[in-house]
Amino acid sequence: MTTKKQLIRIGIIIVSFAVVFLVGREVFYARNATRSSLQIQMSGQDLAKNSTAIVSATVEKSLGTIRFTDANGEIMVNTRWQISVDKAYKGSMTGSEIVQIPGGRYGLTEIIVEDAATLAEGEKVLLYLSPFENSGEYQITGMFQGRYDAVTQNGQTIFQQPELKISKTAVELEQEIKATGV
Amino acid sequence: MLKYKSVFRIFAVFVIFAAFSNCAMAYNYAGYKWGGSWPVVTVNYSQVYVTAWRNIITTAENNWNGAGARFTFQNGSSNNNITVTYQNNSTLATTTIYRQWWGGGNVSRCTVAINSYQTFNPPYNGYNLATVMRHEFGHWLVLNHTGYGLMQPSLGVGQIFQIGTDDRNGIRFIYGAS
């Protein structure tokens, strides 16, 4: 066999092993898991106290998913969303920020998280946010409890939490935050 | 030529073995449960070091064992682990359900992580751990959250829920009545 043919053959073997390794590595992470978290019941004041930021925002776009090992040593997937802050009711957040929502698919890993807050492009929302670990990004406080739809009724902005059937105006929200003293 | 083939085969076996070890693949979500005509699920609480909590876990298992379905929890060594973590968030406990990729996607493993950042009763006047564990074992039985009752998605301080009629009907539907 000529040197050229040997080199081509070796190259094919190396590339094949690389493909098998990468596919095999992904197979190692292949899992379909469902997570259900029992949350503490949080009132509006509880949510306000436990959030570093409370903002009304427009959901801009999904930035895809990330996969990591969580504090329990389990493989976890989060979906990252970019939001554009319209108004900060607590904190001084402005511009665009990234919010991580538990759940999603990364490669062959799919994690379904029951009762996670959901975001969709173009939605107007009120979010109670707290820092997500040391990522510089945020998570929604209290899972579904910290996400409200922002709707306009008779020229007034109303925040509605569909699962808990709670609604409040911006004024009521500000009073609630003020009552917490933080 | 022969030398290349031998090396290739040995290396391929190694890579495939490394890739498939510890693999837990997936299946579709709908209609799954623990397999078998009467599943016996072994709960491993060896990483829960508080004796009172172990007793509460056992009591919660027995609550579900007495719910009239063809299903049994027992304690022992398994990878269905209950662990205690510490996370500064609003979670009381989290159940993770893993499923097989074959045979209808039955449940292959469940875990519960109790968040010790929260104050539980015992030993504090906090969230009722017995209710929390009954709730989490309800998830192990593949019951989802409901609007009110034991399987509601959030719990208040001091709230206590027992296994309700809907919960019993649910697991009897899934596993059959005993």
Side-chain angles (χ1 to χ4, degrees), chain A:
Chain A
M1 188 185 299
T2 64
T3 303
K4 188 179 176 184
K5 281 187 180 175
Q6 282 178 322
L7 287 173
I8 291 172
R9 191 174 287 249
I10 290 170
I12 291 172
I13 291 173
I14 291 173
V15 169
S16 301
F17 278 126
V19 169
V20 169
F21 177 78
L22 290 172
V23 170
R25 180 175 175 271
E26 195 55 36
V27 167
F28 171 78
Y29 285 107
R31 47 180 51 75
N32 185 317
T34 302
R35 282 205 169 183
S36 303
S37 291
L38 179 60
Q39 299 290 303
I40 59 172
Q41 275 181 357
M42 303 181 83
S43 64
Q45 288 194 20
D46 292 331
L47 286 167
K49 275 185 205 168
N50 288 280
S51 301
T52 54
I54 302 170
V55 299
S56 62
T58 303
V59 180
E60 289 186 330
K61 58 182 177 180
S62 168
L63 299 177
T65 56
I66 56 170
R67 183 170 62 195
F68 58 99
T69 302
D70 70 6
N72 302 327
E74 306 276 358
I75 303 296
M76 185 58 188
V77 174
N78 279 1
T79 304
R80 300 167 72 235
W81 286 89
Q82 183 171 301
I83 62 167
S84 172
V85 177
D86 297 323
K87 180 174 179 179
Y89 292 92
K90 178 180 179 181
S92 54
M93 195 182 280
T94 58
S96 291
E97 289 289 347
I98 297 172
V99 177
Q100 293 198 23
I101 304 288
R105 174 186 278 275
Y106 184 101
L108 295 182
T109 307
E110 182 175 18
I111 308 291
I112 298 167
V113 179
E114 198 182 3
D115 287 327
T118 58
L119 296 176
E121 271 187 40
E123 277 187 326
K124 299 275 188 190
V125 292
L126 173 74
L127 299 176
Y128 290 77
L129 299 174
S130 49
F132 178 72
E133 296 179 355
N134 298 317
S135 65
E137 300 176 355
Y138 293 87
Q139 62 185 346
I140 296 178
T141 308
M143 297 273 280
F144 64 97
Q145 298 176 97
R147 181 218 178 275
Y148 286 64
D149 294 317
V151 298
T152 303
Q153 290 179 358
N154 301 321
Q156 191 180 28
T157 300
I158 308 285
F159 303 119
Q160 297 175 331
Q161 214 299 333
E163 287 92 350
L164 300 173
K165 297 180 175 52
I166 297 171
S167 68
K168 60 182 103 179
T169 63
V171 171
E172 288 168 338
L173 172 64
E174 285 168 345
Q175 288 172 344
E176 205 169 63
I177 295 169
K178 194 175 176 183
T180 64
V182 295

